[in-house]
Amino acid sequence: MNNPPKSYLVDIQFTTTRRVRFSLKIIIFRIYLNFLMIFNDGLIIMSFNLKMNKLTIKNDVLSGITVALALVPEAVAFSIIANVSPLVGLYTAFIIGLITSIMGGRPGMISGAAGSVAVVVVALVVQHGPEYLFAAVVLMGIIQMAIGFLKLGKFVRLVPHAVMFGFLNGLAIIIFLSQLAQFKMPDGSWITGPTLWIMLGFVALTMAIIYLLPKVTKAVPAALTAIVAVSAITIIFQISTKTVGDIASISGGFPAFHIPLVPLNLETLQIILPYSIIMALVGLIESLLTLNIIDEMTETRGRGNKESIGQGVANLVCGFFGGMGGCAMVGQSIINITSGGRTRISGIAAAMGLLIVILAGSSLVEKIPMAALVGLMFMVSIGTFEWTSLKIIKKVPRTDVVVMITVASITVLFNNLAVAVIIGVIISALAFAWESAKRINAKVTIDENQVKHYEISGPLFFGSVTAFKEIFDYSNDPDEIVIDFSESAVRDHSAIEALDTITKKYAKLGKKVRLIHLSQDCRLLLDNASEIIDVNYWEDPNYKIPLNQLD
């Protein structure tokens, strides 16, 4: 065969290069379209919100202001935990809160600097400095965006209700315990005497206003009213009590763009990658669980994958502006919802309010008594705790009770929500597998042709194979045996091995086995394992089962 002319080869190379470039352009264009759809969706919703009635907009703005005030001490406290400047936490709360309010998948949900993320990064900051933290936050955002684009956010559906209860109860306890630090002196000793009683009195007053005001009027958010009222009393009567300014100064400028000053090499990646993965997972788990909680409170439905992308973009930007990374915040989100915030305007108002506090309003906010914010967070803790979980302890399976207590305990003791939720899911999954394994049984009959039928019910999988093997009477069974799977299904490799073991035992005794009523997916599983299992034959080739396919 003659070799093709040189010009023909050049044309092929040119065509191949052009195709590769064209494919890359399509990939980049699709990514651009995804971002464009997210921004466009946010703008459409915002424009719709602007056309709403004035009462709704007023509620959203006032609710956002309340959240902004509640974010200040939290952001400062989380910054101290992470060993970075208080302004780092405030910038983080502003950037993440603003971007997720516009791009996120759950209107009304508040995001910012989170304690669960702060705990993860302590070792990184201590060992390598804040610049490595900023780089880790950038990578964290990229990982979260990838999870969102791959549509993995839907797996939050696998979190059982018992895990949700444990998560909320543990978080409520953490919120309550974290406020006790405000009752301590700088040297760590507890405040006593008149100072303690004054602070307790203002905490009680704040809680009373938040509880009673909605029963009188809902024209203004109760939380904001309580903060303003308590602050006015302390300022007018010049009552000495602990204020926000006693914790740290919160004045600063606009956050500046900052590329993390770290070497761009494999060693840096090895240092930050483990932290980035943990931060990304912790952030998404807390965000998606918070999304579900707000869904239940508002009786609406958020979009998990879109929220994952929004969180990722927020953390990516946050890393380039010197932020510490964050996620959705259950406490602040509940404050926003209970104060009347329902749309993206409330989240934007909270972020912009926080920026105004940093730029111009720090002197006023620093005068707010910590007692008012402590009272607010105590009410959030009470509202977050699932009190119904205490009433149903005797009514639900013991496994669910164990899961609730375990998740809550791990959350409180280690302040690691991701580990607590994962362990809770594992315990629930193992309990489900054990219960399913006990359900396998068989109805045994012998027809007029002396053929023995085993009608199996219950799933055949790794947990039930031992009980399945004990069903058969190998030596006393007739020469022909039929195993009917109309009420069962072959689920995994362990099930295939069990069938292989049974057929081989019968084959050694010179007996024949037939498998009938296998669903299409079971038959495909056995076909793929044809080198492992030796089945004489099966019938009913057109048997089908209904499938409930979920996205």
Side-chain angles (χ1 to χ4, degrees), residues 344-360:
R344 297 180 187 273
I345 293 177
S346 60
I348 296 171
M352 298 308 297
L354 190 59
L355 180 63
I356 292 172
V357 167
I358 298 171
L359 297 178

Side-chain angles (χ1 to χ4, degrees), residues 473-477 479 504-511:
D473 187 2
Y474 303 99
S475 58
N476 296 322
D477 279 347
D479 293 337
K504 284 180 178 178
K505 283 186 177 181
Y506 278 118
K508 287 181 180 180
L509 298 172
K511 300 175 181 180

Side-chain angles (χ1 to χ4, degrees), residues 203-224:
V203 169
L205 177 60
T206 303
M207 296 176 69
I209 294 173
I210 294 174
Y211 177 73
L212 296 174
L213 185 61
K215 299 179 182 298
V216 178
T217 178
K218 295 183 179 179
V220 291
L224 181 59

Side-chain angles (χ1 to χ4, degrees), residues 240-277:
S240 178
T241 185
K242 189 177 184 180
T243 63
V244 173
D246 294 330
I247 301 178
S249 174
I250 60 173
S251 62
F254 195 85
F257 181 79
H258 171 79
I259 297 177
L261 300 176
V262 296
L264 299 178
N265 52 35
L266 191 59
E267 182 181 356
T268 300
L269 182 62
Q270 290 175 342
I271 293 172
I272 67 174
L273 182 59
Y275 291 97
S276 297
I277 293 174

Side-chain angles (χ1 to χ4, degrees), residues 429-440 458-470 489 491-496 498:
L430 291 176
F432 174 77
W434 177 255
E435 290 299 322
S436 298
K438 294 190 297 184
R439 291 175 183 167
I440 194 162
L460 182 57
F461 68 111
F462 68 89
S464 60
V465 292
T466 301
F468 176 71
K469 292 177 184 178
E470 295 174 353
R491 292 299 186 192
D492 58 11
H493 182 265
S494 297
I496 294 174

Side-chain angles (χ1 to χ4, degrees), residues 4 6-7 67 82 88 93 111 114-115 123 170 174 206 222-223 233 291 303 343 346 366 381 390 410 517-518 530 549:
K6 185 176 181 180
S7 60
V67 171
V88 171
S111 298
I174 287 178
T206 303
I233 292 172
L291 182 144
R303 297 167 59 184
T343 71
S346 60
E366 287 175 2
S381 176
L390 301 178
I410 295 175
H517 294 153
L518 284 163
S530 58
Q549 296 180 347

Side-chain angles (χ1 to χ4, degrees), residues 173-325:
I173 295 171
I174 287 178
I175 292 173
F176 178 84
L177 294 177
S178 65
Q179 303 309 308
L180 299 182
Q182 307 304 330
F183 293 89
K184 292 183 178 181
M185 302 290 288
D187 60 359
S189 61
W190 295 93
I191 60 176
T192 57
T195 305
L196 174 61
W197 292 111
I198 289 173
M199 189 165 183
L200 288 175
F202 283 129
V203 169
L205 177 60
T206 303
M207 296 176 69
I209 294 173
I210 294 174
Y211 177 73
L212 296 174
L213 185 61
K215 299 179 182 298
V216 178
T217 178
K218 295 183 179 179
V220 291
L224 181 59
T225 303
I227 293 173
V228 172
V230 173
S231 300
I233 292 172
T234 58
I235 294 172
I236 293 172
F237 295 99
Q238 297 183 351
I239 300 174
S240 178
T241 185
K242 189 177 184 180
T243 63
V244 173
D246 294 330
I247 301 178
S249 174
I250 60 173
S251 62
F254 195 85
F257 181 79
H258 171 79
I259 297 177
L261 300 176
V262 296
L264 299 178
N265 52 35
L266 191 59
E267 182 181 356
T268 300
L269 182 62
Q270 290 175 342
I271 293 172
I272 67 174
L273 182 59
Y275 291 97
S276 297
I277 293 174
I278 296 174
M279 290 161 65
L281 294 178
V282 167
L284 281 187
I285 289 174
E286 187 167 352
S287 297
L288 295 177
L289 289 179
T290 303
L291 182 144
N292 282 353
I293 294 167
I294 303 304
D295 281 355
E296 291 184 5
M297 292 180 66
T298 60
E299 297 182 352
T300 57
R301 183 174 180 180
R303 297 167 59 184
N305 292 316
K306 185 178 179 182
E307 182 63 32
S308 299
I309 296 173
Q311 292 285 337
V313 174
N315 280 297
L316 176 67
V317 174
C318 189
F320 282 117
F321 280 86
M324 58 183 282

